[in-house]
Structures are given as C-alpha cells and as structure tokens.
Amino acid sequence: MYKVGDYHETDRMSDLISENYPMALVTSRFGIALGFADKSIGEVCRQNEVDVNTFLTVVNFLANEKPIPVSDEKLRSSISLEGLIQYLHNAHDYFLNFRLPHIRRKLLEAVSDCQEDVVFVIRKFFDEYAEEVRKHMTYEEKTVFPYVRSLLKGEKDPKYNISIFSKRHDQIEMKITELKNILIKYYPGKSSNMLNSVLFDIFTTEEDLATHNKVEDYLFVPAILALEKQ
C-alpha cells in the first residue's frame, strides 16, 4: 500500500521511493539518478538542478489516489513549465525507446511457439499500437512543447492554443487494454511463465501511461491555460 502525500523537501528522497516505488520513474524523468543516500528531496533536487516546487507538485499529485485539481495561482507559483516539459520529454523517451521495444522483444519470445499466423497478428497489433503512441508523443514534441516555449518568451501563436491539444488528447493507455485482453483470452501457447511476465509489463505500462496522461491533463494543460491568460 502506497503512502498518500504530502511530501516535503525535508523528507528523505529514499523514503519517497521506498513508500511509493513508482516514484523511481518520476525521479528518473526529472533527470535524477539513484544513489542519493539519506539526502532530502530538496538537497537531491538542487544538486541535480531540478526545480523543487515542480518536483514536489508532481510527486504529491501522483501520490494521491484521486487527481486533485490545482488552482491557477498555485500552478503559477509552484510549477516550472520548462521543468515539466523536460519531465514529459524524458517520459516520452522512456516509453518509445525503452519500454515499448522491451515489451515487444519479450512478447515475441512469449508467442514464439504459436502458429505463424497467430504470431503475425499479435506482432502487427502491437506494432500498430506502438506507432499510435509514437504519433501521439511526437505531436507533443514537435507542436505542443515549442508552442509553450514560445509562450514563455512572450510570443503567442494566434492560430494555436492549448485547448486544441486538450481536445485531441486521446487516452492512449486505453488501447493497450485490447492487447492485454487478446493475450488473456486467446493466447494458445503452452508455457505461461513468459506470457505472465509480459502481461505484468503490459499492466504496469498501462498504469504508467494513465499516470502520464494525468500529469498532462491536470498539471501541464492547466498551467499553460494559466499562462495564456496572462
């Protein structure tokens, strides 16, 4: 059972991860490596040039079981948008260049004893899903992030606003549920150990993508809306 926030900058970083192990991914996406001994959250963030308030806002938001909307005033005072963009960018890199390729390798190994046509269908389904995720995240990298960085410089694009992104922000984590259900209901292989390992990876990735979208929907987008109002 995870501990529910609030964490403070005087709390030990090691306690944060021990009490909520998914926070290991959060620290990594802020560019913070393991090995921080008994240092506090504030100390570790400052040593890694990470904005402490932004880090704590994300951590405490994710440590709560239900997303709690953050007021415009708090968003303006507690979040570095550049820091949040770097966090989201690192998450994209993790999903696209590590997590999904890793699952693909294990998935193909798990179904290697299936009939060729079954392997083809599963591989095709996964590759199409991974491509959807890539398109989704590439749009953010090439359109949304540059737009926000221009806003931070005081330059506003009259043809674009964050509401356009918000309306087309599909919940990509829902699509991986289909692959999970196909494997659970129709997988014809004899051995279950490798398949169970793949399923575990898919379950955790599904949750991780949901968390990623929550950060975008409840922190990133509202922070940009607050900036657009200025």
Side-chain angles (χ1 to χ4, degrees):
M1 192 72 179
Y2 303 148
K3 173 186 171 182
V4 176
D6 285 330
Y7 286 95
H8 307 279
E9 66 172 286
T10 53
D11 293 329
R12 292 190 304 182
M13 185 70 87
S14 58
D15 289 341
L16 167 68
I17 294 178
S18 295
E19 294 165 352
N20 294 274
Y21 71 84
M23 294 301 171
L25 291 174
V26 174
T27 57
S28 175
R29 290 167 191 176
F30 272 105
I32 299 173
L34 298 175
F36 23 72
D38 289 327
K39 294 175 183 175
S40 70
I41 290 174
E43 288 176 309
V44 174
C45 285
R46 283 186 283 273
Q47 287 178 0
N48 288 272
E49 299 183 346
V50 173
D51 182 77
V52 179
N53 287 333
T54 303
F55 181 85
L56 285 171
T57 298
V58 172
V59 161
N60 286 320
F61 171 76
L62 295 178
N64 283 286
E65 294 179 3
K66 295 182 180 180
I68 301 175
V70 183
S71 67
D72 286 0
E73 183 178 350
K74 186 175 181 182
L75 284 169
R76 283 192 290 266
S77 63
S78 65
I79 283 188
S80 160
L81 268 171
E82 185 57 52
L84 197 53
I85 286 175
Q86 190 60 44
Y87 167 86
L88 296 173
H89 168 76
N90 290 340
H92 292 170
D93 181 68
Y94 170 80
F95 286 120
L96 297 178
N97 298 319
F98 175 75
R99 193 63 176 168
L100 291 176
H102 175 72
I103 291 177
R104 187 182 191 275
R105 287 192 296 271
K106 288 181 67 174
L107 177 63
L108 293 181
E109 182 179 352
V111 301
S112 60
D113 61 344
C114 293
Q115 294 180 357
E116 187 174 339
D117 57 340
V118 174
V119 175
F120 174 81
V121 169
I122 292 175
R123 181 176 62 241
K124 184 173 184 290
F125 187 95
F126 182 85
D127 287 346
E128 288 175 351
Y129 166 74
E131 182 59 26
E132 285 187 29
V133 175
R134 182 174 297 279
K135 287 179 180 178
H136 172 99
M137 295 181 173
T138 298
Y139 171 80
E140 294 177 12
E141 295 282 342
K142 294 187 175 181
T143 302
V144 181
F145 295 170
Y147 167 74
V148 177
R149 289 190 168 114
S150 294
L151 269 184
L152 291 170
K153 296 177 184 176
E155 305 167 1
K156 190 168 184 178
D157 185 346
K159 298 180 180 179
Y160 192 83
N161 59 66
I162 200 59
S163 295
I164 295 173
F165 163 71
S166 187
K167 289 176 183 177
R168 61 168 287 170
H169 192 213
D170 54 325
Q171 300 297 307
I172 54 175
E173 82 280 359
M174 294 177 66
K175 295 183 177 65
I176 204 170
T177 304
E178 297 179 47
L179 175 61
K180 178 184 66 180
N181 289 336
I182 286 174
L183 293 176
I184 293 172
K185 294 179 181 180
Y186 305 113
Y187 173 72
K190 297 178 182 179
S191 175
S192 62
N193 288 335
M194 181 58 74
L195 178 63
N196 286 337
S197 178
V198 173
L199 276 174
F200 181 82
D201 286 347
I202 291 173
F203 273 114
T204 54
T205 300
E206 183 180 20
E207 293 174 359
D208 197 8
L209 282 168
T211 297
H212 177 75
N213 275 346
K214 285 178 182 177
V215 171
E216 292 183 333
D217 291 339
Y218 289 88
L219 294 179
F220 186 55
V221 170
I224 300 167
L225 286 170
L227 181 62
E228 288 177 338
K229 293 176 183 177
Q230 294 181 16

